[in-house]
Every structure is written in C-alpha cells, then in structure tokens.
Amino acid sequence: MSGSYDVLIVGVGGQGTILASNILGEACLLEGKSVRGAETHGMAQRGGSVETHIRIDGKYGPLISPGTADLIISFDLLEALRYSHFLKDGGTIISNTETIIPTSAFQYDAEVPEAEDISRQLAGRDVLTVDAAALALEAGTILAQNVVMLGAASRHIPLTVESLKEAVRRCVPPKTVDTNLKAFDLGRAALE
C-alpha cells in the first residue's frame, strides 16, 4: 500500500459511529500502523449527523479530502448518499440498508428520498449494503449494528481480522464482548 488508506465512517448520533472509529484506531495500533483521525458530530441532538475520518498510515492531517476516501462505511443509507462525494474513483461504500429520518426533516417537513431513490443516485459507484439491524439482532442486540458494519467492511480494510477482533474485545464493555464478536462475524459473512 502506498500512501494512506482513508476510511470515512458516517452515521447519526446514537449509532455507535465513534466507537467504531475507536475500534478501527485500536486495531491500527495493534498492528503498529500510523493512524490519524478526527470526528465531527451532532450527538447532542440524537439523530444528528456524525462523521469520523480515519487515515491509516497517512503522513499528513487527519481529515480526508472530498474525492479521496478509499472506503465509506455508512450506518445509514441516507448518510451514504450525503457523504458519497468523499469517495474516490474505484472506492467502495458499505452501507446499512436502514434509513433514519433526520430530525431536521421532521422539523421542516422536508422531503426525504426513498431507498430506491438513494440507490439510483449512487448508481455507478461500488455500493454494498448490509441489513445490519437484522444481523445485530441475530447476534443478540440491536446495539451491535456498528460492529456488524465493521465486520462487513473488514475485507476492504488493510488490517487483519485478528487485530480487528482484538480491538473489539478491548473497546466494548466486557459483558458484551461475545455478542459483539458474533456481530462482527455475521457482518463479515454477509459480504463474502
């Protein structure tokens, strides 16, 4: 790999976006890779947009420029569309199939695109979708959707599965380790 491998994780407040980026950062440290990251979040308002930038082996700042992300992991299909301009040519978007209606859409009675509209607008890009809610429930808790998404993305991330799973063990509450590891495996298997 030359240069950095840039991952943008996007979602809304309450979906575990920050925890997912922490897991990814921990896995980088386990492998001795340089990692730079930054986050922007509207978690004070549940449902606010959250984005985290993770640059693996990057030499310069933590922010990913539009059009340069290797991978976008989106916890919400609408957020995948909102941040798709960050993806570089040849990059991949891995998105949850779920769409959460933004709070601002409720407030202003704004029109929200349907899943089919979003898919049409993302046509021409490499987009893989995962029903993270169903897999998280299969693992034991809906709260593990973020780890399902990391598992689904693991084939694209330049880190070993062992490092990613050890990072999960280190970053989630001890009583939820087994459930989260199952969620990771189910997500990984979903995109085989």
Side-chain angles (χ1 to χ4, degrees):
M1 183 173 74
S2 63
S4 64
Y5 187 88
D6 297 339
V7 181
L8 184 66
I9 302 178
V10 298
V12 297
Q15 288 188 304
T17 310
I18 304 298
L19 175 59
S21 68
N22 290 342
I23 291 170
L24 199 49
E26 183 74 20
C28 288
L29 296 177
L30 286 167
E31 292 193 14
K33 293 183 180 280
S34 164
V35 61
R36 299 173 193 276
E39 58 196 47
T40 302
H41 44 91
M43 290 188 298
Q45 177 183 339
R46 190 173 178 88
S49 187
V50 179
E51 62 181 274
T52 61
H53 298 235
I54 299 118
R55 304 192 71 208
I56 301 170
D57 282 340
K59 291 183 180 174
Y60 305 108
L63 296 177
I64 300 168
S65 299
T68 65
D70 295 281
L71 176 66
I72 295 176
I73 303 171
S74 177
F75 294 179
D76 179 284
L77 195 55
L78 192 56
E79 295 299 307
L81 178 59
R82 182 194 315 256
Y83 289 97
S84 61
H85 66 286
F86 274 91
L87 193 67
K88 73 178 189 182
D89 289 341
T92 301
I93 296 173
I94 297 177
S95 179
N96 190 353
T97 55
E98 183 179 17
T99 298
I100 297 175
I101 307 300
T103 305
S104 59
F106 283 121
Q107 290 175 321
Y108 301 107
D109 199 26
E111 185 176 335
V112 176
E114 299 288 331
E116 296 79 26
D117 296 329
I118 295 170
S119 295
R120 211 173 5 263
Q121 292 184 54
L122 291 173
R125 297 182 181 271
D126 183 17
V127 180
L128 305 170
T129 58
V130 176
D131 185 349
L135 295 175
L137 286 172
E138 185 178 337
T141 176
I142 192 76
L143 299 176
Q145 288 184 69
N146 56 347
V147 177
V148 167
M149 293 305 299
L150 281 179
S154 63
R155 295 181 191 282
H156 296 268
I157 298 169
L159 297 167
T160 67
V161 172
E162 293 75 25
S163 295
L164 289 164
K165 291 174 87 168
E166 179 58 27
V168 169
R169 285 184 195 94
R170 292 181 180 197
C171 293
V172 302
K175 67 181 181 183
T176 68
V177 167
D178 291 342
T179 300
N180 278 288
L181 290 175
K182 184 174 180 182
F184 183 94
D185 288 339
L186 288 169
R188 184 169 170 83
L191 293 185
E192 282 185 325

Coordinates of all heavy atoms in Angstrom, one line a residue, residues 80-153:
A80 N -25.0 7.6 3.5 CA -24.1 7.2 2.4 C -24.2 8.1 1.3 O -23.2 8.5 0.6 CB -24.5 5.8 2.0
L81 N -25.4 8.5 1.0 CA -25.6 9.5 -0.1 C -25.1 10.9 0.2 O -24.4 11.5 -0.6 CB -27.1 9.6 -0.4 CG -27.5 10.6 -1.5 CD1 -26.9 10.3 -2.8 CD2 -29.0 10.7 -1.7
R82 N -25.3 11.3 1.5 CA -24.8 12.6 1.9 C -23.3 12.8 1.8 O -22.8 13.8 1.4 CB -25.2 12.9 3.3 CG -24.8 14.3 3.8 CD -24.9 14.4 5.4 NE -26.1 13.9 6.0 CZ -27.1 14.7 6.4 NH1 -27.0 16.0 6.2 NH2 -28.2 14.1 7.0
Y83 N -22.6 11.7 2.1 CA -21.1 11.8 2.1 C -20.5 11.1 0.9 O -19.2 11.0 0.8 CB -20.6 11.1 3.4 CG -20.9 12.0 4.6 CD1 -22.0 11.7 5.4 CD2 -20.0 13.1 4.9 CE1 -22.2 12.5 6.5 CE2 -20.3 13.8 6.0 CZ -21.4 13.6 6.8 OH -21.7 14.4 7.9
S84 N -21.2 10.7 -0.1 CA -20.7 9.9 -1.3 C -19.7 10.8 -2.1 O -18.8 10.2 -2.7 CB -21.8 9.4 -2.2 OG -22.5 10.5 -2.7
H85 N -19.7 12.1 -2.0 CA -18.7 12.9 -2.7 C -17.3 12.8 -2.1 O -16.4 13.2 -2.7 CB -19.2 14.4 -2.7 CG -19.2 15.0 -1.3 ND1 -20.1 14.7 -0.4 CD2 -18.3 15.9 -0.8 CE1 -19.8 15.4 0.7 NE2 -18.7 16.1 0.5
F86 N -17.2 12.1 -1.0 CA -15.9 11.9 -0.4 C -15.2 10.7 -1.1 O -14.0 10.5 -1.0 CB -15.9 11.6 1.1 CG -15.9 12.9 1.9 CD1 -17.1 13.5 2.3 CD2 -14.7 13.5 2.3 CE1 -17.1 14.7 3.0 CE2 -14.7 14.6 3.1 CZ -15.9 15.3 3.4
L87 N -15.9 9.8 -1.7 CA -15.4 8.6 -2.3 C -14.5 8.9 -3.5 O -14.9 9.6 -4.4 CB -16.5 7.6 -2.6 CG -16.1 6.2 -2.9 CD1 -15.6 5.5 -1.7 CD2 -17.3 5.4 -3.5
K88 N -13.4 8.2 -3.6 CA -12.5 8.4 -4.8 C -13.0 7.4 -5.8 O -13.7 6.4 -5.6 CB -11.1 8.1 -4.4 CG -10.7 6.6 -4.2 CD -9.2 6.5 -3.9 CE -8.8 5.0 -3.9 NZ -7.4 4.9 -3.5
D89 N -12.6 7.6 -7.1 CA -12.9 6.7 -8.1 C -12.3 5.4 -7.8 O -11.1 5.3 -7.3 CB -12.2 7.2 -9.5 CG -13.0 8.4 -10.0 OD1 -14.1 8.6 -9.6 OD2 -12.4 9.1 -10.8
G90 N -13.1 4.3 -7.9 CA -12.6 3.0 -7.5 C -12.8 2.6 -6.1 O -12.5 1.5 -5.6
G91 N -13.3 3.6 -5.3 CA -13.5 3.3 -3.8 C -14.8 2.6 -3.6 O -15.6 2.3 -4.6
T92 N -15.1 2.2 -2.4 CA -16.2 1.4 -2.1 C -17.0 2.0 -0.9 O -16.5 2.5 0.0 CB -15.8 0.0 -1.6 OG1 -15.0 -0.6 -2.7 CG2 -17.0 -0.9 -1.3
I93 N -18.4 1.9 -1.1 CA -19.3 2.3 0.0 C -19.9 1.0 0.6 O -20.4 0.2 -0.2 CB -20.4 3.3 -0.5 CG1 -19.8 4.6 -1.0 CG2 -21.4 3.5 0.6 CD1 -20.8 5.5 -1.6
I94 N -19.8 0.9 1.9 CA -20.5 -0.3 2.5 C -21.5 0.4 3.4 O -21.2 1.1 4.4 CB -19.6 -1.2 3.3 CG1 -18.6 -1.8 2.3 CG2 -20.3 -2.2 4.0 CD1 -17.5 -2.7 2.9
S95 N -22.8 0.2 3.1 CA -23.9 0.9 3.9 C -24.9 -0.1 4.5 O -25.2 -1.1 3.9 CB -24.6 1.8 2.9 OG -25.6 2.5 3.6
N96 N -25.4 0.3 5.6 CA -26.5 -0.3 6.2 C -27.7 0.0 5.3 O -27.8 1.0 4.6 CB -26.8 0.3 7.6 CG -27.8 -0.4 8.5 OD1 -28.5 -1.3 8.0 ND2 -27.9 0.0 9.7
T97 N -28.7 -0.9 5.3 CA -29.8 -0.7 4.4 C -30.9 0.2 5.1 O -31.8 0.7 4.4 CB -30.5 -2.0 4.2 OG1 -30.8 -2.7 5.4 CG2 -29.7 -2.9 3.3
E98 N -30.7 0.5 6.4 CA -31.6 1.3 7.1 C -31.5 2.8 6.8 O -30.4 3.3 6.4 CB -31.4 1.1 8.6 CG -32.4 1.9 9.5 CD -32.1 1.6 11.0 OE1 -31.0 1.2 11.3 OE2 -33.0 1.9 11.7
T99 N -32.6 3.5 6.8 CA -32.6 5.0 6.7 C -33.3 5.6 7.9 O -34.4 5.2 8.2 CB -33.3 5.4 5.4 OG1 -32.7 4.9 4.3 CG2 -33.4 6.9 5.3
I100 N -32.6 6.4 8.6 CA -33.2 7.2 9.7 C -33.6 8.6 9.3 O -32.8 9.3 8.7 CB -32.2 7.2 10.9 CG1 -31.9 5.8 11.4 CG2 -32.8 8.1 12.0 CD1 -30.9 5.7 12.5
I101 N -34.8 8.9 9.4 CA -35.3 10.2 9.0 C -34.6 11.3 9.9 O -34.8 11.3 11.1 CB -36.8 10.3 9.1 CG1 -37.5 9.2 8.4 CG2 -37.3 11.7 8.6 CD1 -37.2 9.1 6.9
P102 N -33.9 12.2 9.3 CA -33.2 13.3 10.1 C -34.2 14.1 10.9 O -35.3 14.4 10.4 CB -32.5 14.1 9.0 CG -32.5 13.3 7.8 CD -33.6 12.4 7.9
T103 N -33.8 14.6 12.0 CA -34.6 15.4 12.9 C -35.0 16.7 12.1 O -36.2 17.1 12.2 CB -33.9 15.8 14.2 OG1 -33.5 14.6 14.8 CG2 -34.7 16.6 15.1
S104 N -34.1 17.2 11.4 CA -34.4 18.4 10.6 C -35.5 18.2 9.6 O -36.3 19.1 9.3 CB -33.2 19.0 9.9 OG -32.7 18.0 9.1
A105 N -35.6 17.0 9.1 CA -36.7 16.7 8.1 C -38.0 16.7 8.8 O -39.0 17.2 8.2 CB -36.4 15.3 7.5
F106 N -38.1 16.3 10.0 CA -39.3 16.3 10.8 C -39.7 17.8 11.1 O -40.8 18.2 10.9 CB -39.2 15.6 12.2 CG -39.3 14.1 12.1 CD1 -38.3 13.4 12.5 CD2 -40.4 13.5 11.5 CE1 -38.3 12.0 12.4 CE2 -40.5 12.1 11.5 CZ -39.4 11.4 11.9
Q107 N -38.7 18.6 11.5 CA -38.9 20.0 11.9 C -39.5 20.8 10.7 O -40.3 21.7 10.9 CB -37.6 20.6 12.4 CG -37.2 20.0 13.8 CD -35.9 20.6 14.2 OE1 -35.0 20.8 13.4 NE2 -35.8 20.9 15.5
Y108 N -38.9 20.6 9.5 CA -39.2 21.4 8.4 C -40.1 20.7 7.4 O -40.3 21.2 6.3 CB -37.9 22.0 7.8 CG -37.1 22.8 8.7 CD1 -36.0 22.3 9.3 CD2 -37.6 24.0 9.2 CE1 -35.2 23.0 10.2 CE2 -36.9 24.7 10.1 CZ -35.7 24.2 10.6 OH -35.0 24.9 11.6
D109 N -40.6 19.5 7.7 CA -41.4 18.8 6.8 C -40.7 18.6 5.4 O -41.4 18.8 4.4 CB -42.8 19.4 6.7 CG -43.8 18.5 6.1 OD1 -43.7 17.2 6.3 OD2 -44.8 18.9 5.5
A110 N -39.5 18.3 5.5 CA -38.7 18.2 4.3 C -38.9 16.8 3.6 O -39.2 15.8 4.3 CB -37.2 18.4 4.6
E111 N -38.7 16.8 2.3 CA -38.9 15.5 1.6 C -37.6 14.7 1.8 O -36.5 15.2 1.7 CB -39.1 15.8 0.1 CG -39.3 14.6 -0.7 CD -39.6 14.9 -2.1 OE1 -40.1 16.0 -2.4 OE2 -39.4 14.0 -3.0
V112 N -37.8 13.4 2.1 CA -36.6 12.5 2.3 C -36.7 11.5 1.2 O -37.7 10.9 1.0 CB -36.7 11.9 3.7 CG1 -35.6 10.9 3.9 CG2 -36.7 12.9 4.8
P113 N -35.6 11.3 0.5 CA -35.6 10.3 -0.6 C -35.8 8.9 -0.1 O -35.4 8.5 1.0 CB -34.2 10.4 -1.2 CG -33.4 11.2 -0.2 CD -34.3 11.9 0.7
E114 N -36.5 8.1 -0.8 CA -36.7 6.7 -0.5 C -35.5 5.9 -0.9 O -34.6 6.4 -1.6 CB -37.9 6.1 -1.4 CG -39.2 6.8 -1.1 CD -39.8 6.4 0.2 OE1 -39.6 5.3 0.7 OE2 -40.5 7.3 0.8
A115 N -35.4 4.7 -0.3 CA -34.2 3.8 -0.6 C -33.9 3.6 -2.1 O -32.7 3.7 -2.5 CB -34.4 2.5 0.1
E116 N -35.0 3.5 -2.8 CA -34.8 3.3 -4.3 C -34.2 4.5 -4.9 O -33.3 4.4 -5.8 CB -36.1 2.9 -5.0 CG -36.7 1.6 -4.5 CD -37.4 1.7 -3.2 OE1 -37.9 2.9 -2.8 OE2 -37.5 0.7 -2.5
D117 N -34.6 5.7 -4.5 CA -34.1 7.0 -5.0 C -32.6 7.1 -4.6 O -31.8 7.5 -5.4 CB -34.8 8.2 -4.4 CG -36.3 8.2 -4.8 OD1 -36.6 7.7 -6.0 OD2 -37.1 8.7 -4.1
I118 N -32.3 6.7 -3.4 CA -30.9 6.8 -3.0 C -30.0 5.8 -3.8 O -28.9 6.2 -4.3 CB -30.7 6.5 -1.5 CG1 -31.5 7.5 -0.6 CG2 -29.3 6.4 -1.0 CD1 -31.6 7.2 0.8
S119 N -30.5 4.6 -4.0 CA -29.7 3.7 -4.8 C -29.5 4.2 -6.2 O -28.5 4.0 -6.8 CB -30.5 2.3 -4.8 OG -30.5 1.8 -3.5
R120 N -30.6 4.8 -6.8 CA -30.4 5.3 -8.1 C -29.4 6.4 -8.2 O -28.6 6.5 -9.1 CB -31.8 5.9 -8.6 CG -32.1 5.8 -10.0 CD -33.5 6.2 -10.5 NE -34.4 6.7 -9.5 CZ -35.3 6.0 -8.9 NH1 -35.5 4.7 -9.1 NH2 -36.2 6.5 -8.0
Q121 N -29.3 7.3 -7.1 CA -28.4 8.4 -7.1 C -26.9 7.9 -6.9 O -26.0 8.5 -7.2 CB -28.7 9.4 -6.0 CG -30.0 10.1 -6.4 CD -30.3 11.2 -5.4 OE1 -29.5 12.1 -5.1 NE2 -31.5 11.2 -4.8
L122 N -26.8 6.7 -6.3 CA -25.5 6.1 -6.0 C -25.1 5.2 -7.2 O -24.0 4.6 -7.1 CB -25.5 5.4 -4.7 CG -25.6 6.2 -3.4 CD1 -25.7 5.3 -2.2 CD2 -24.4 7.1 -3.3
A123 N -25.9 5.0 -8.1 CA -25.6 4.1 -9.3 C -24.2 4.6 -9.9 O -23.9 5.7 -10.0 CB -26.7 4.2 -10.3
G124 N -23.5 3.6 -10.3 CA -22.2 3.8 -10.9 C -21.0 3.8 -9.9 O -19.9 3.8 -10.2
R125 N -21.4 3.7 -8.6 CA -20.4 3.6 -7.6 C -20.4 2.2 -7.0 O -21.5 1.5 -7.2 CB -20.7 4.6 -6.4 CG -20.6 6.0 -6.8 CD -20.8 6.9 -5.6 NE -20.7 8.3 -6.0 CZ -19.6 9.0 -6.0 NH1 -18.5 8.5 -5.6 NH2 -19.6 10.3 -6.3
D126 N -19.4 1.7 -6.4 CA -19.3 0.4 -5.8 C -20.0 0.5 -4.5 O -19.3 0.9 -3.5 CB -17.9 -0.1 -5.7 CG -17.8 -1.5 -5.2 OD1 -18.8 -2.2 -5.2 OD2 -16.7 -1.9 -4.8
V127 N -21.2 0.1 -4.4 CA -22.0 0.2 -3.1 C -22.5 -1.2 -2.7 O -23.1 -1.9 -3.5 CB -23.2 1.1 -3.3 CG1 -24.0 1.1 -2.0 CG2 -22.8 2.5 -3.8
L128 N -22.1 -1.6 -1.5 CA -22.5 -2.9 -1.0 C -23.4 -2.6 0.3 O -23.0 -1.7 1.1 CB -21.3 -3.7 -0.5 CG -20.2 -4.0 -1.6 CD1 -19.0 -4.6 -1.0 CD2 -20.8 -4.9 -2.7
T129 N -24.5 -3.3 0.4 CA -25.4 -3.0 1.5 C -25.6 -4.2 2.4 O -25.4 -5.4 2.0 CB -26.8 -2.6 1.0 OG1 -27.4 -3.6 0.2 CG2 -26.7 -1.2 0.3
V130 N -25.8 -3.9 3.7 CA -25.9 -4.9 4.7 C -27.1 -4.6 5.6 O -27.3 -3.4 6.0 CB -24.7 -5.0 5.6 CG1 -24.8 -6.0 6.7 CG2 -23.4 -5.3 4.8
D131 N -28.0 -5.6 5.9 CA -29.1 -5.3 6.8 C -28.5 -5.5 8.2 O -28.6 -6.6 8.9 CB -30.2 -6.3 6.6 CG -31.4 -6.1 7.4 OD1 -31.3 -5.2 8.4 OD2 -32.5 -6.7 7.1
A132 N -27.9 -4.4 8.7 CA -27.1 -4.5 10.0 C -28.1 -4.8 11.2 O -27.7 -5.4 12.1 CB -26.3 -3.2 10.2
A133 N -29.3 -4.2 11.1 CA -30.2 -4.4 12.2 C -30.6 -5.9 12.4 O -30.5 -6.4 13.5 CB -31.5 -3.6 12.0
A134 N -30.9 -6.6 11.3 CA -31.2 -8.0 11.4 C -30.0 -8.8 11.9 O -30.2 -9.7 12.8 CB -31.6 -8.5 10.0
L135 N -28.8 -8.5 11.4 CA -27.7 -9.3 11.9 C -27.3 -9.0 13.3 O -26.9 -9.9 14.1 CB -26.5 -9.0 11.0 CG -26.6 -9.5 9.5 CD1 -25.5 -9.0 8.7 CD2 -26.8 -11.0 9.4
A136 N -27.5 -7.7 13.7 CA -27.2 -7.4 15.1 C -28.2 -8.1 16.1 O -27.8 -8.6 17.1 CB -27.3 -5.9 15.3
L137 N -29.5 -8.1 15.6 CA -30.5 -8.9 16.5 C -30.1 -10.4 16.5 O -30.3 -11.0 17.6 CB -31.9 -8.7 15.9 CG -32.5 -7.3 16.1 CD1 -33.8 -7.1 15.4 CD2 -32.7 -7.1 17.6
E138 N -29.6 -10.9 15.4 CA -29.2 -12.3 15.4 C -28.0 -12.5 16.3 O -28.0 -13.6 17.0 CB -28.8 -12.7 13.9 CG -28.5 -14.2 13.8 CD -28.2 -14.6 12.4 OE1 -28.6 -13.8 11.4 OE2 -27.5 -15.6 12.2
A139 N -27.2 -11.5 16.4 CA -26.0 -11.6 17.4 C -26.5 -11.5 18.8 O -25.8 -12.0 19.7 CB -25.0 -10.6 17.0
G140 N -27.6 -10.8 19.1 CA -28.1 -10.7 20.4 C -28.5 -9.4 20.9 O -29.2 -9.2 21.9
T141 N -28.2 -8.3 20.1 CA -28.6 -7.0 20.5 C -28.6 -6.0 19.3 O -27.6 -6.0 18.5 CB -27.8 -6.4 21.6 OG1 -28.2 -5.0 21.9 CG2 -26.3 -6.4 21.3
I142 N -29.6 -5.2 19.2 CA -29.6 -4.2 18.1 C -28.5 -3.2 18.2 O -28.1 -2.6 17.2 CB -31.0 -3.5 18.1 CG1 -31.2 -2.7 16.9 CG2 -31.2 -2.6 19.3 CD1 -31.6 -3.5 15.6
L143 N -27.9 -3.1 19.4 CA -26.9 -2.1 19.7 C -25.6 -2.5 19.0 O -24.7 -1.7 18.9 CB -26.6 -2.0 21.2 CG -27.8 -1.5 22.0 CD1 -27.5 -1.4 23.5 CD2 -28.3 -0.1 21.5
A144 N -25.5 -3.7 18.5 CA -24.2 -4.1 17.8 C -24.2 -3.9 16.3 O -23.3 -4.4 15.6 CB -24.0 -5.6 18.1
Q145 N -25.1 -3.0 15.8 CA -25.1 -2.7 14.4 C -23.7 -2.1 13.9 O -23.3 -2.4 12.8 CB -26.2 -1.8 14.0 CG -27.6 -2.4 14.1 CD -28.6 -1.4 13.6 OE1 -28.7 -1.1 12.5 NE2 -29.5 -1.0 14.6
N146 N -23.1 -1.3 14.8 CA -21.8 -0.7 14.4 C -20.8 -1.8 14.2 O -20.0 -1.7 13.2 CB -21.4 0.4 15.4 CG -21.3 -0.1 16.8 OD1 -21.8 -1.2 17.1 ND2 -20.7 0.6 17.6
V147 N -20.8 -2.8 15.0 CA -19.8 -3.8 14.9 C -20.1 -4.7 13.7 O -19.2 -5.2 13.0 CB -19.6 -4.6 16.2 CG1 -18.6 -5.8 16.0 CG2 -19.2 -3.7 17.3
V148 N -21.4 -4.9 13.4 CA -21.8 -5.7 12.2 C -21.2 -5.0 11.0 O -20.6 -5.6 10.1 CB -23.3 -5.7 12.1 CG1 -23.7 -6.2 10.6 CG2 -23.9 -6.7 13.1
M149 N -21.3 -3.6 11.0 CA -20.8 -2.9 9.8 C -19.3 -3.0 9.7 O -18.7 -3.0 8.6 CB -21.2 -1.4 9.9 CG -22.7 -1.2 9.8 SD -23.4 -1.9 8.2 CE -22.5 -1.0 7.0
L150 N -18.6 -3.0 10.8 CA -17.1 -3.2 10.8 C -16.8 -4.5 10.2 O -15.8 -4.7 9.4 CB -16.5 -3.0 12.2 CG -16.3 -1.6 12.6 CD1 -15.7 -1.6 14.0 CD2 -15.4 -0.8 11.7
G151 N -17.5 -5.5 10.7 CA -17.3 -6.9 10.1 C -17.5 -6.9 8.6 O -16.7 -7.5 7.9
A152 N -18.6 -6.3 8.2 CA -18.9 -6.3 6.8 C -17.8 -5.6 6.0 O -17.4 -6.0 4.9 CB -20.2 -5.6 6.5
A153 N -17.2 -4.5 6.6 CA -16.1 -3.8 5.9 C -14.8 -4.4 6.0 O -13.8 -4.0 5.3 CB -16.1 -2.3 6.4

